[in-house]
Amino acid sequence: MRANPNIVVTGTPGVGKTTHCEMLAERTGLRHVSVNQIVKDKDCHEGWDEEYQSWIVDEDKLLDALEDEVAAGGCIIDWHACEIFPERWVDLVVVLRVNTSTLYDRLKARKYPEKKLQENLDSEIMDVLLQEAQDSYDENIVVELTSNTTEEMDSNVDRIEAWIKQWKKDNPPDGDNDDGSD
Ligand code: ADP
Ligand code: MG
């Protein structure tokens, strides 16, 4: 049993995953686990894709690299995909969503190549990440939140922080919840 929950924060690039994860980590003391950073630092890839300007991820290596950290609990996992994480690792999946024009502006500001920008906009319009989360996890642990404004982000962080507190109440450390039934 973990003392703290593991939360996956996912969504199309540019929706605000990293910003949310950093705020959450600062507020809750849970650890921001940037999968992009781990892929880079621990060589969990098969090389660099020039066209897409991103690493070609080796999923087996990535799961090995994450296993110990995730087993300890308390991870806020920041990645633009979620289906590779085993269900037993994950207590909550937050799918961030954003309006198309806002996402366009954010990805343009990042100087994404045109093809990558268009594919990510299409992915957001077609609910690809939400669908992936819903197909991979129990519906009760998947939550969709909008991230168009800083006000929305503040409210999301409040909600997730409250969820973590409730999770800890519902999952007390061994021994504290002994109701004599076993
Ligand atoms: P991701 O990690 O999903 O790619 P980031 O957290 O890097 O996204 O955010 C992309 C850009 O959008 C950053 O410049 C960030 O400041 C901005 N941003 C993210 N979420 C919001 C929000 N809810 N309101 C306003 N700006 C945001
Ligand atoms: Mg990011």
Side-chain angles (χ1 to χ4, degrees):
M1 176 58 86
R2 302 186 265 269
N4 282 294
N6 289 320
I7 302 173
V8 174
V9 178
T10 191
T12 310
V15 290
K17 299 180 293 294
T18 301
T19 318
H20 275 75
C21 289
E22 283 171 351
M23 280 177 74
L24 273 167
E26 199 175 301
R27 284 247 215 120
T28 64
L30 270 56
R31 299 183 308 287
H32 175 198
V33 175
S34 164
V35 172
N36 279 333
Q37 198 64 44
I38 290 170
V39 165
K40 223 185 311 175
D41 293 349
K42 300 199 173 170
D43 280 337
C44 306
H45 58 76
E46 297 160 352
W48 177 254
D49 184 322
E50 268 303 325
E51 184 180 13
Y52 284 91
Q53 296 286 299
S54 63
W55 296 107
I56 303 159
V57 175
D58 179 330
E59 294 188 353
D60 290 335
K61 271 195 196 167
L62 174 62
L63 289 176
D64 283 350
L66 284 169
E67 189 160 18
D68 288 348
E69 171 126 43
V70 172
C75 294
I76 307 173
I77 302 172
D78 172 0
W79 209 32
H80 57 262
C82 63
E83 67 186 356
I84 77 159
F85 307 121
E87 269 191 284
R88 67 176 189 284
W89 283 14
V90 180
D91 300 298
L92 181 70
V93 181
V94 176
V95 185
L96 296 176
R97 304 303 305 273
V98 91
N99 293 334
T100 314
S101 63
T102 307
L103 186 60
Y104 178 89
D105 292 344
R106 290 185 193 166
L107 296 182
K108 202 77 187 164
R110 266 186 190 172
K111 302 194 173 17
Y112 265 28
E114 198 54 38
K115 188 170 173 192
K116 186 174 175 182
L117 190 152
Q118 199 53 53
E119 284 188 5
N120 280 305
L121 285 180
D122 288 348
S123 164
E124 184 61 16
I125 292 164
M126 288 161 59
D127 304 334
V128 170
L129 269 302
L130 178 65
Q131 200 65 53
E132 181 180 316
Q134 288 173 338
D135 289 347
S136 308
Y137 301 96
D138 187 301
E139 62 181 344
N140 295 317
I141 71 162
V142 176
V143 53
E144 181 186 17
L145 298 173
T146 53
S147 170
N148 295 296
T149 62
T150 50
E151 289 76 17
E152 284 180 345
M153 183 152 57
D154 287 341
S155 134
N156 294 342
V157 171
D158 286 347
R159 272 183 72 175
I160 299 166
E161 194 180 7
W163 180 91
I164 293 168
K165 280 196 184 129
Q166 188 60 46
W167 187 94
K168 291 177 76 149
K169 263 193 208 158
D170 294 342
N171 296 273
D174 280 351
D176 290 6
N177 62 344
D178 190 358
D179 59 5
S181 62
D182 60 7

